[in-house]
Amino acid sequence: QAGLTQPPSVSKDLRQTATLTCTGNSNNVGNQGAAWLQQHPGHPPKVLSYRDNNRPSGISERFSASRSGNTASLTITGLQPEDEADYYCSAWDNSVIAWVFGGGTKLTVL
Amino acid sequence: EVQLVESGGGLVQPGGSLGLSCAASGFSLSTSWMHWVRQGPGKGLDYVAGISGDGTWTAFADSVKGRFTISRDNAKNTLFLHLNSLRAEDTAVYYCTRETWDHWGQGILVTVSS
């Protein structure tokens, strides 16, 4: 099943800015936008944004999502140690008639 | 407070069947699409299936189509996933989650092994 493409890992220094990417196509990211989820080891995922930049209440403004064409991005500013986690993107895909996920990006905060 | 609690996991032999339940509280299931998402050992998130609020629409990943069924009992506020013809690669923690991914259960482990 077609999925979304994310870089496997990103490393950034404390207090710096990280931008994570998620590439799909016109049937998914390009059409419906993407959601972003954060997952710490041993815990369920937590949604950071839904359908591009709809941020749920309680999510820090340091997390912002955007989209350009078929690529969605999650920007995390002022990196903190607790931001070290796995990040997943997800989108509805009109061609497979199901949601699809990216393979996830492991963010390391140095 | 919204809560989702999965149950029904366990060890099953290849080719076997298993039923999972997800009991919801703090909101009405009938108002939301509900989904099952799984995560294999050391792997990423993998969409399994979803069902609309009134149960008329469903969605399945290709990998489970024809083997898994999803249903809901809005009166009992419970979501179900029935897993048939199980394979080793179905081994995973199965999560139930709500439409906008805003609430997740703690997950339930399904192990397919002889």
Side-chain angles (χ1 to χ4, degrees), chain A residues 1 37 39 44-45 47 50 88 99, chain B residues 39 44 47 61-62 100-101 104-105:
Chain A
Q1 182 155 354
L37 303 105
Q39 187 181 33
V47 67
Y50 183 79
Y88 296 92
W99 285 86
Chain B
Q39 188 166 35
Y47 186 76
D62 286 345
T100 54
W101 313 125
W104 294 69

Side-chain angles (χ1 to χ4, degrees), chain A residues 37-105:
Chain A
L37 303 105
Q38 176 194 61
Q39 187 181 33
H40 289 104
H43 292 271
K46 179 172 76 172
V47 67
L48 301 175
S49 75
Y50 183 79
R51 291 256 171 97
D52 293 334
N53 202 21
N54 292 293
R55 191 169 51 231
S57 61
I59 300 300
S60 170
E61 291 180 355
R62 298 189 298 109
F63 295 91
S64 64
S66 61
R67 175 165 58 105
S68 176
N70 296 333
T71 298
S73 299
L74 177 72
T75 299
I76 312 169
T77 59
L79 283 168
Q80 300 297 309
E82 60 267 27
D83 297 332
E84 188 162 291
D86 294 321
Y87 291 82
Y88 296 92
C89 60
S90 178
W92 173 258
D93 192 301
N94 286 331
S95 66
V96 299
I97 318 297
W99 285 86
V100 291
F101 282 91
T105 296

Side-chain angles (χ1 to χ4, degrees), chain A residues 17-45:
Chain A
T17 295
T19 298
L20 312 182
T21 59
C22 168
T23 302
N25 57 44
S26 58
N27 290 314
N28 43 60
V29 175
N31 185 35
Q32 300 278 343
W36 286 93
L37 303 105
Q38 176 194 61
Q39 187 181 33
H40 289 104
H43 292 271

Side-chain angles (χ1 to χ4, degrees), chain B residues 1 9 12 19 23 28 32 36 38-39 42 57 59 64 70 84 102 106:
Chain B
E1 179 193 4
V12 61
S28 173
S32 301
W36 290 94
R38 67 185 179 184
Q39 188 166 35
W57 294 93
V64 307
I70 187 171
N84 294 313
D102 60 349
Q106 282 301 306

Side-chain angles (χ1 to χ4, degrees), chain B residues 53-77:
Chain B
D54 61 4
T56 57
W57 294 93
T58 57
F60 292 92
D62 286 345
S63 58
V64 307
K65 220 172 269 185
R67 299 189 301 124
F68 292 8
T69 59
I70 187 171
S71 61
R72 60 199 301 157
D73 185 335
N74 287 343
K76 295 182 178 178
N77 228 30

